[in-house]
Amino acid sequence: MERREKIPKATITRLSLYYRHLELLEFDGYRTVASEKLAWLCQVNPAQVRKDLGYFGEFGIRGVGYDVRELQREIKKILAVNREWRMGIAGIGNLGTALLKNQNFKARGFRFVAAFDTDPEKIGNQLSSGLVIRDIRDLKELVKQYRIDIGVISTPYSGAQETANMFFDAKVAAILNFSPAQLQAPDHCIIENIDFTVKLDILTYKLKNEIAI
Amino acid sequence: MERREKIPKATITRLSLYYRHLELLEFDGYRTVASEKLAWLCQVNPAQVRKDLGYFGEFGIRGVGYDVRELQREIKKILAVNREWRMGIAGIGNLGTALLKNQNFKARGFRFVAAFDTDPEKIGNQLSSGLVIRDIRDLKELVKQYRIDIGVISTPYSGAQETANMFFDAKVAAILNFSPAQLQAPDHCIIENIDFTVKLDILTYKLKNEIAI
DNA sequence: CATTGTGAACTCATTCACAGCG
DNA sequence: CGCTGTGAATGAGTTCACAATG
């Protein structure tokens, strides 16, 4: 059981994928699954599955495979999704509203507990979820009050860094950034970016090349 | 000028990033920029910038750096974003609506030319952009008619594969998938996934570890 | 003479191949 | 016997270091 080996980021991404497929396997009535099958489902190499899991422990039974439910539990522990995470979202435009209504977050224990905006027209409005949009100037105070773990940024480009700074100031430990801005962050804050246009650029690059060649 | 060397996917992602920062640099009045500065802005290594660009040609001037506007043009050519791309979106829920209204796409030449849904309540409704929501059963025909290059999937998990199959059938060359489903795709179609919960899982994993250690 | 462009060195990630074990 | 777990081999991507040059 090797700990503190350096773990590739791609491993974490795949773990998330394995987890999702294990849910489906369980739903389909499987009790156990071999690395070969799980790998096939996730479109990766079987050795990759075993190596990924091997970073964190020995979860399999030789000659049999992995117990579907137990492996789910283990991956949840590894990813730290075996608990509720409290999120605050800043920027309640179209995207922000869509994120607030997104069922996938809730289903996985990611819960929006506060919503912020700068627009006086929006502040005070009640969302369908019951949340009331708060003034972003109260962000710091409310992060504490609502014990927010994760800040979500869905502002336009222009407001993103400023919003991030408020989250940093409030000592939020992690940010999920949906704006195309590249945020300058202090060491104590972890950032993940979800950048739509970068993905589209990758797509068009591939289109140009895969098709031309 | 090395062509047909294998180019890392990460290089393409960074190219997209370089481009965005070059826009900002131009806006700030810069005529040239050295790899060191561009690298610093993008939070990468200067040699990385030069290597990335080196895959596609020699765009710099030794002793000076890169011409900001010319490099923009070159990267646009490389990424094939020096043209308009026509997109069709399937699944006009909260997320789909937000994507349709997203200004970042339009600003970069990615244009929604059709919107599809299965819900009879929605079909026929006109969106603020002027687009009318069409029945997804007409997808194949309309992909041709509107010369759609890229399919965007913003359906829930359940409908995603079926929707993708329709795009495949209509011979769309690329798909941007916002659903958490892992799509099975034929060879002729390129897929990029934007998966919110995977990103959150990465975040919580990091939170658990960076903080614990 | 500052900065690019690039082979070589290095670091990180994936896959192989097989010993170990239920 | 079948499948895991893992060290060793391979492959990919990044960084170094410096020769080339406008």
Side-chain angles (χ1 to χ4, degrees):
Chain A
M1 203 185 280
E2 268 310 300
R3 289 288 145 80
R4 281 316 93 205
E5 210 173 322
K6 227 211 89 315
I7 293 154
K9 175 162 174 180
T11 289
I12 307 306
T13 305
R14 284 189 298 267
L15 246 25
S16 179
L17 214 62
Y18 301 157
Y19 179 78
R20 203 174 291 166
H21 282 279
L22 287 166
E23 285 184 323
L24 297 172
L25 284 165
E26 188 191 358
F27 188 79
D28 288 348
Y30 287 87
R31 313 290 305 226
T32 64
V33 64
S35 61
E36 179 140 19
K37 172 148 194 163
L38 187 54
W40 183 85
L41 290 169
C42 299
Q43 302 170 31
V44 301
N45 181 299
Q48 184 78 80
V49 172
R50 299 198 297 275
K51 178 72 85 179
D52 284 340
L53 297 172
Y55 288 122
F56 301 96
E58 304 197 3
F59 307 124
I61 304 150
R62 291 166 199 238
V64 179
Y66 301 89
D67 183 280
V68 170
R69 301 190 66 170
E70 192 195 312
L71 192 52
Q72 280 184 69
R73 271 198 304 279
E74 293 294 345
I75 294 179
K76 277 176 99 156
K77 268 195 266 175
I78 295 164
L79 296 176
V81 291
N82 57 346
R83 50 161 281 189
E84 181 184 274
W85 289 95
R86 300 168 69 82
M87 306 197 293
I89 182 168
I92 314 304
N94 300 304
L95 180 59
T97 307
L99 295 173
L100 280 160
K101 290 184 181 165
N102 191 313
Q103 294 302 309
N104 296 320
F105 293 135
K106 196 181 300 178
R108 294 283 307 280
F110 293 102
R111 192 170 145 214
F112 287 108
V113 296
F116 304 95
D117 207 294
T118 50
D119 183 351
E121 291 287 316
K122 290 178 184 168
I123 293 165
N125 289 358
Q126 185 164 36
L127 298 157
S128 58
S129 61
L131 282 185
V132 172
I133 301 179
R134 308 296 297 259
D135 191 327
I136 202 158
R137 283 178 292 193
D138 301 330
L139 188 142
K140 188 175 181 178
E141 190 192 332
L142 292 167
V143 160
K144 246 128 238 178
Q145 193 175 317
Y146 288 116
R147 307 192 318 280
I148 291 171
D149 304 301
I150 299 170
V152 177
I153 295 183
S154 50
T155 65
Y157 178 85
S158 53
Q161 182 67 56
E162 209 184 336
T163 305
N165 292 343
M166 290 179 179
F167 276 123
F168 301 150
D169 190 37
K171 297 280 183 300
V172 162
I175 284 184
L176 190 64
N177 173 35
F178 283 89
S179 91
Q182 242 202 319
L183 303 176
Q184 297 289 132
D187 288 347
H188 66 75
C189 192
I190 296 154
I191 299 203
E192 283 292 317
N193 298 296
I194 297 183
D195 192 321
F196 301 171
T197 47
V198 166
K199 289 286 186 176
L200 272 171
D201 288 347
I202 294 171
L203 218 49
T204 54
Y205 169 81
K206 286 188 184 175
L207 269 175
K208 189 189 78 176
N209 293 280
E210 250 83 318
I211 276 171
I213 278 124
Chain B
M1 202 186 281
E2 270 308 300
R3 289 285 145 82
R4 283 313 94 208
E5 209 173 324
K6 225 210 94 307
I7 292 154
K9 175 162 174 181
T11 289
I12 307 308
T13 305
R14 285 189 296 266
L15 246 26
S16 179
L17 213 62
Y18 301 158
Y19 179 77
R20 203 174 292 166
H21 282 279
L22 286 166
E23 285 184 323
L24 298 173
L25 285 165
E26 189 191 357
F27 188 79
D28 289 348
Y30 287 88
R31 313 291 306 225
T32 63
V33 64
S35 60
E36 179 140 20
K37 172 149 193 161
L38 187 54
W40 184 85
L41 290 169
C42 299
Q43 301 169 33
V44 301
N45 181 298
Q48 184 78 80
V49 171
R50 300 198 297 274
K51 177 74 82 178
D52 285 339
L53 296 172
Y55 288 122
F56 300 97
E58 304 197 3
F59 306 124
I61 305 150
R62 289 166 199 237
V64 179
Y66 300 89
D67 183 280
V68 170
R69 301 190 67 168
E70 191 196 315
L71 192 52
Q72 279 184 70
R73 272 198 303 280
E74 294 293 346
I75 294 179
K76 276 175 100 156
K77 268 195 266 174
I78 295 166
L79 297 177
V81 291
N82 56 347
R83 50 161 282 189
E84 181 184 275
W85 289 95
R86 300 168 70 82
M87 307 196 293
I89 182 168
I92 315 303
N94 300 303
L95 181 59
T97 307
L99 294 172
L100 280 160
K101 291 184 182 166
N102 190 315
Q103 295 300 310
N104 296 318
F105 292 135
K106 195 181 302 177
R108 293 283 307 281
F110 294 103
R111 190 169 147 217
F112 287 108
V113 296
F116 304 96
D117 208 295
T118 50
D119 183 352
E121 291 287 317
K122 291 179 184 167
I123 293 165
N125 289 359
Q126 186 164 37
L127 297 157
S128 58
S129 62
L131 282 185
V132 172
I133 300 179
R134 308 296 297 257
D135 191 327
I136 201 158
R137 282 178 293 194
D138 300 329
L139 188 143
K140 188 175 180 175
E141 190 192 334
L142 293 167
V143 160
K144 243 126 240 177
Q145 193 176 318
Y146 289 116
R147 308 192 315 284
I148 291 171
D149 304 300
I150 299 170
V152 177
I153 295 183
S154 51
T155 66
Y157 177 86
S158 53
Q161 182 67 55
E162 210 183 336
T163 305
N165 292 342
M166 290 179 178
F167 276 124
F168 301 150
D169 190 37
K171 296 281 183 297
V172 163
I175 284 184
L176 189 64
N177 173 34
F178 283 89
S179 90
Q182 242 203 319
L183 303 175
Q184 297 290 133
D187 288 346
H188 66 75
C189 191
I190 296 154
I191 299 203
E192 283 292 317
N193 299 296
I194 297 184
D195 192 320
F196 301 170
T197 48
V198 166
K199 289 286 187 175
L200 271 171
D201 288 347
I202 294 170
L203 217 49
T204 54
Y205 170 81
K206 286 189 184 173
L207 269 176
K208 189 189 78 173
N209 293 281
E210 248 84 320
I211 276 171
I213 280 125

